[in-house]
Amino acid sequence: MARKESLSRDRIIDVAVELLDSSGETGLTFRTLAAKLATGPGAIYWHVPNKSALLTAACDAIVARTLASCVSGATPGDTIRAVAAGLFDAIAAHPWVGAALGQAPADMPMVRILEKLGPQVQALGLPEERLWAVVGALLNYILGVGSRHAANVQLSRTRGIARADFLDLVATTWSRLDQQQYPFTHGVARQVRGHDDRVDFLAGIDLILAGIEPAR
Amino acid sequence: MARKESLSRDRIIDVAVELLDSSGETGLTFRTLAAKLATGPGAIYWHVPNKSALLTAACDAIVARTLASCVSGATPGDTIRAVAAGLFDAIAAHPWVGAALGQAPADMPMVRILEKLGPQVQALGLPEERLWAVVGALLNYILGVGSRHAANVQLSRTRGIARADFLDLVATTWSRLDQQQYPFTHGVARQVRGHDDRVDFLAGIDLILAGIEPAR
DNA sequence: ACCTGAACACCGTTCAAGT
DNA sequence: ACCTGAACACCGTTCAAGT
């Protein structure tokens, strides 16, 4: 991989995202990153303080571009749904983003999400003192459930199998469990196959939005 | 740390939990673990296949003892609330458990939770084909939101400050953001201080339980 | 100002050799 | 059967030395 442009923070972040996407959080290494940038590992430290900051910066790049491409809906509720879906899909496409957001809960990527989501929740017309509780609940749900889904996606990727085959594997493993000792897991194994996490995620968002109504 | 009993899988897991509790996931090392067990790093591999299995086993120990101490309530809903609260508190007390559960979504600790929670959801009287969707939603919420809370707890621990002081820090940082560029975050900073995540978590559980009712 | 690359203090894991 | 500990192939990070 030859150097095309001179080294810069932005170029480092771009290549870091490539590396994270192709081989996960363990795939991002100062040595492989340096190799791809045709330089030594020490050079990166001139532009980025450490690995954790690099991860947060890479995460912020994804979050920024995700939020920018979320179109506003007709109502605040529609916009909230669109942002939630956009973040869910982005985290699924870049599974390392979920964990990265958890490690920097007050930094730039989170502030960016807050600025996008907050005013929409505000527009629903809640009492001012309930604002943080509701935005926090929404954020916890989106990022919490999104990250769990992403971890599953990541796991099937690491094992080198498609998502559907992975669910198949789980279903088979569970259906082989002792029926006396693990009756519920054994019985529910059938339903694991072909289940759509995204549909459930969005149903949960609707549930939360419906729950906000009575608080107005 | 002198050896008291002979080396065994259980003893290794006990010490691993101690290490994880006192210094997080990065604190668990085959070398420090071996030192605490008064042996060499290689000895551990006789009882445990690798680090990831060790982490899952440590996680399972916490989950098993947590579920065992959850008393059943008067109604299925009460029991679900108790289990949810128990898991939330356990994950907050052992922040590494959240991440560990995410890395082994079909293994023993998860099966254990399923066996505890599943029959209670079943007792709510839903149609059989909706069972996995509802249990999955509940599980995603509990573990997703619980893990996010735990990551925050872990972060304040890593920085060596109390949770309240950490929230103070976040509030101060946000209130210093540019008011033009980040109006929402700037404005909501006040509310961050003294916010109770646990109360919100339980309110979310109630919301989900209420959302199940119409599906019966 | 920015880059180089050797060096330091670590990792997880393996494996010949011991008991 | 179980344990030892050196060795292998890695890490993130630092820093003298170069340009």
Side-chain angles (χ1 to χ4, degrees), chain B residues 146-157:
Chain B
S147 296
R148 275 187 48 76
H149 176 246
N152 284 1
V153 170
Q154 178 78 289
L155 210 64
S156 47
R157 261 192 220 170

Side-chain angles (χ1 to χ4, degrees), chain B residues 3 7 31 39 42-43 46-47:
Chain B
R3 172 156 19 155
L7 206 53
R31 281 170 177 81
T39 181
W46 185 261
H47 302 273

Side-chain angles (χ1 to χ4, degrees), chain B:
Chain B
M1 204 80 37
R3 172 156 19 155
K4 287 151 202 162
E5 320 154 37
S6 77
L7 206 53
S8 72
R9 194 183 137 91
D10 281 349
R11 217 171 108 61
I12 290 172
I13 291 170
D14 278 353
V15 178
V17 167
E18 279 175 31
L19 232 32
L20 287 162
D21 283 346
S22 64
S23 33
E25 205 166 321
T26 56
L28 177 62
T29 279
F30 277 79
R31 281 170 177 81
T32 57
L33 188 57
K36 270 201 152 198
L37 289 162
T39 181
I44 296 164
Y45 282 87
W46 185 261
H47 302 273
V48 159
N50 53 49
K51 186 168 180 176
S52 140
L54 177 57
L55 195 65
T56 302
C59 172
D60 194 43
I62 300 293
V63 168
R65 103 176 49 143
T66 301
L67 294 180
S69 72
C70 282
V71 285
S72 296
T75 65
D78 286 343
T79 306
I80 291 170
R81 263 180 283 265
V83 171
L87 285 170
F88 184 87
D89 294 338
I91 295 175
H94 312 277
W96 50 274
V97 166
L101 278 170
Q103 270 146 47
D107 290 348
M108 200 50 227
M110 199 60 84
V111 170
R112 227 183 267 282
I113 297 173
L114 236 42
E115 289 300 324
K116 183 83 174 192
L117 225 40
Q120 300 298 327
V121 174
Q122 212 160 13
L124 290 173
L126 305 144
E128 195 66 23
E129 71 273 14
R130 295 241 323 131
L131 206 51
W132 177 241
V134 170
V135 172
L138 211 47
L139 224 57
N140 272 333
Y141 179 84
I142 295 174
L143 302 180
V145 177
S147 296
R148 275 187 48 76
H149 176 246
N152 284 1
V153 170
Q154 178 78 289
L155 210 64
S156 47
R157 261 192 220 170
T158 305
R159 310 245 169 112
I161 48 181
R163 179 89 181 111
D165 293 335
F166 180 72
L167 289 180
D168 247 41
L169 196 72
V170 172
T172 308
T173 309
W174 283 1
S175 68
R176 280 188 191 139
L177 283 175
D178 185 287
Q179 192 163 3
Q180 302 300 318
Q181 212 173 348
Y182 307 108
F184 184 82
T185 310
H186 179 95
V188 92
R190 258 186 337 99
Q191 296 188 26
V192 170
R193 239 180 287 255
H195 183 75
D196 190 338
D197 283 345
R198 195 177 189 274
V199 169
D200 276 8
F201 169 78
L202 292 175
I205 294 289
D206 285 335
L207 205 62
I208 293 175
L209 288 177
I212 294 173
E213 298 283 322
R216 290 208 271 193

Side-chain angles (χ1 to χ4, degrees), chain A residues 64-82:
Chain A
R65 102 175 53 141
T66 300
L67 294 180
S69 72
C70 282
V71 285
S72 295
T75 65
D78 286 343
T79 306
I80 291 171
R81 261 180 284 266

